[in-house]
């Protein structure tokens, strides 16, 4: 008879032990087949849940983030303030301003005259939300939107504020939101990158954007955002070199993979294997990217919906249409940056031009996703890095004024992806300077986005240099009030 041992109060013989072991190994093998990255990640962190799979049932599968770079003025777009218009020319009360920071551009102003919006507002939809006359197309879809008027941040200048929204830190070298989602959820389409970036430019030069905003930071480089350009080659260095056939490229990659595998066995650096994955992705993208970027098969109705600019490469409208195509093809995170919203002066003219650039295409994207049955599983976000002051920067005239940076309150909207539609959340005071109801911090916003994709922001962790990092740093709470 086989020897039996007593362990934890149960009798186990050799036969039972081997039987249970085989079941465990079989389950592990099946899990690795169904979820290739199940056993990826740091592995040593007890607080880290497995990557490549949601932590709980997601309400959304993908994100399209329409980032309005330069900070749109909420007073002219979504935060209707008739009292501010009545008080135009009056000094901003010290009790309203308090001890809040000012930028170097207005800190030395002797006066801070308030200025109301030059443009009118009206209420739309069953939600009766106030929307500026600058946004006639957005007004038509207001019942699909959740307008958050109580966002706030600590950053008061563009670069740290923009970096904070995208990476959770005002300093660089951290993974961006798209990289975190790629790391946490894995690929949905093996032939396209998880995270793509599209750039467009509005009036003037505006504030710049930099590759650090779509950086993978300390995560594997396979999670870095891939920038698509408007040129003949939407992704640089994707084509085969002159004189090399596709078969030769395949053989070269196979040989390179063998060499890299030898290096990995010698040094154990996971970045070596990440590079191999990037080479393979580039090879597969040679076929997938041209197909996705081809707009010739879009119907006349779709072209009319987005507007004629959608056929002009590099425009915001074209990028919105491409965002829909990328998203429906399984790209987890599509990031659009539209530059030109930095209206320190000449605001009435410039913001009207900016609004015209983005209004029709933004509304068209939501409508297009909805009619394809994709809005429920796609979270669309629209907004900038902070807000604008209720007082004018520089001289106030009858027809002209500007607004400085204001981190204490700004407006964004979200649509789809399990967010409540037809809702206005949060409120600012009568002059639009301070939040008086339901504040939403940047980390709260990030936690909510991750939550909609089935990720616990406190558990999506990566251990680096002895510290556990996450997108929301050490704070943030999910805004359950806006979740359907």
């Amino acid at each position: 008879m086989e020897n039996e041992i007593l362990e934890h109060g149960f009798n186990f013989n050799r036969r039972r032990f081997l039987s249970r072991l085989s079941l465990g190994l079989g389950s592990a093998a099946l899990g690795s087949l169904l979820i290739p990255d199940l056993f990826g990640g740091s592995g040593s962190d007890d607080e880290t849940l497995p990557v490549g799979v949601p932590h709980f049932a997601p309400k959304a599968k993908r994100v399209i983030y329409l980032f309005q770079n330069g900070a749109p003025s909420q007073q002219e777009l979504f935060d209707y303030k008739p009292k501010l218009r009545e008080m135009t020319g009056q000094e901003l009360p010290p009790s309203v301003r308090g001890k809040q920071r000012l930028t170097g551009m207005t800190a030395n102003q002797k006066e801070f005259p308030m200025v109301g919006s030059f443009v009118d507002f009206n209420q739309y939809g069953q939600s009766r939300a106030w929307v500026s006359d600058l946004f006639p197309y957005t007004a038509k879809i207001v019942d699909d939107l959740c307008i958050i008027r109580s966002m706030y941040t600590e950053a008061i200048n563009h670069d740290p504020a923009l970096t904070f929204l995208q990476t959770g830190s005002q300093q660089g070298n951290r993974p961006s939101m798209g990289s975190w989602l790629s790391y946490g959820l894995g690929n949905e389409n093996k032939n396209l990158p998880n995270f793509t970036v599209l750039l467009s430019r509005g009036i003037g030069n505006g504030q710049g954007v930099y590759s650090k905003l779509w950086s993978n930071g300390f995560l594997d480089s396979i999670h870095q955002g891939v920038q698509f350009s408007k040129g003949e080659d939407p992704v640089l260095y994707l084509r085969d070199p002159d004189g090399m056939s596709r078969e030769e490229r395949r053989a070269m990659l196979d040989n390179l993979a063998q060499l890299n595998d030898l290096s990995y066995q010698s040094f154990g650096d996971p970045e070596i294997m990440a590079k191999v994955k990037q080479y393979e992705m580039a090879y597969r993208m040679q076929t997938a990217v041209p197909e996705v970027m081809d707009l010739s098969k879009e119907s006349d109705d779709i072209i009319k919906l987005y507007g004629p600019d959608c056929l002009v490469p590099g425009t915001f409208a074209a990028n919105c249409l491409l965002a829909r195509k990328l998203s429906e093809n399984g790209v987890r995170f599509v990031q659009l940056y539209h530059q030109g919203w930095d209206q320190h002066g000449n605001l009435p003219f410039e913001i009207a031009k900016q609004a015209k650039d983005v209004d029709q295409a933004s509304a068209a994207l939501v409508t297009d996703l909805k009619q394809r049955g994709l809005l429920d599983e796609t979270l669309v976000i629209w907004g900038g890095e902070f807000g604008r002051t209720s007082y004018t920067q520089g001289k106030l005239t009858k027809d002209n004024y500007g607004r400085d940076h204001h981190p204490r309150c700004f407006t964004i909207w979200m649509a789809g992806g399990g967010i409540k539609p037809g809702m206005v959340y949060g409120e600012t005071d009568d002059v639009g300077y301070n939040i008086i109801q339901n504040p939403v911090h940047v980390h709260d916003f990030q936690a909510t986005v991750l939550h909609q994709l089935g990720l616990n922001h406190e558990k999506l962790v990566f251990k680096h240099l002895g510290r556990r990092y996450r997108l929301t740093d050490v704070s943030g709470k999910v805004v359950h009030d806006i979740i359907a």
Side-chain angles (χ1 to χ4, degrees), residues 12 50 58 70 86 115 140 149 229 232-233 260 262 271 281 300 319 338 360 376 380 389 421 426 428 448 466 470 483:
F12 282 91
E86 293 175 11
V115 54
K140 295 177 182 178
R149 298 188 301 193
S229 69
E232 184 178 352
D233 293 320
N260 279 313
L262 291 174
E271 188 62 20
M281 172 65 76
D300 291 340
N319 287 348
H338 187 66
Q360 181 175 356
D376 287 344
V380 183
T389 55
T428 58
T448 305
R470 67 187 210 218
I483 297 174

Side-chain angles (χ1 to χ4, degrees), residues 350-370:
E350 291 189 5
I351 200 170
K353 177 67 170 61
Q354 283 290 114
K356 187 175 182 181
D357 282 345
V358 306
D359 177 39
Q360 181 175 356
S362 299
L365 176 61
V366 174
T367 302
D368 194 8
L369 290 169
K370 187 176 181 179

Side-chain angles (χ1 to χ4, degrees), residues 386-432:
F386 44 58
R388 290 285 165 176
T389 55
S390 302
Y391 60 81
T392 185
Q393 177 177 339
K395 188 176 181 181
L396 171 62
T397 69
K398 180 181 178 181
D399 301 317
N400 202 6
Y401 59 91
R403 298 190 190 274
D404 198 7
H405 309 164
H406 188 58
R408 293 306 303 164
C409 57
F410 62 105
T411 300
I412 69 169
W413 60 251
M414 305 170 78
I419 296 295
K420 287 182 181 177
M423 181 182 190
V424 177
Y425 188 77
E427 186 178 350
T428 58
D429 60 25
D430 286 342
V431 296

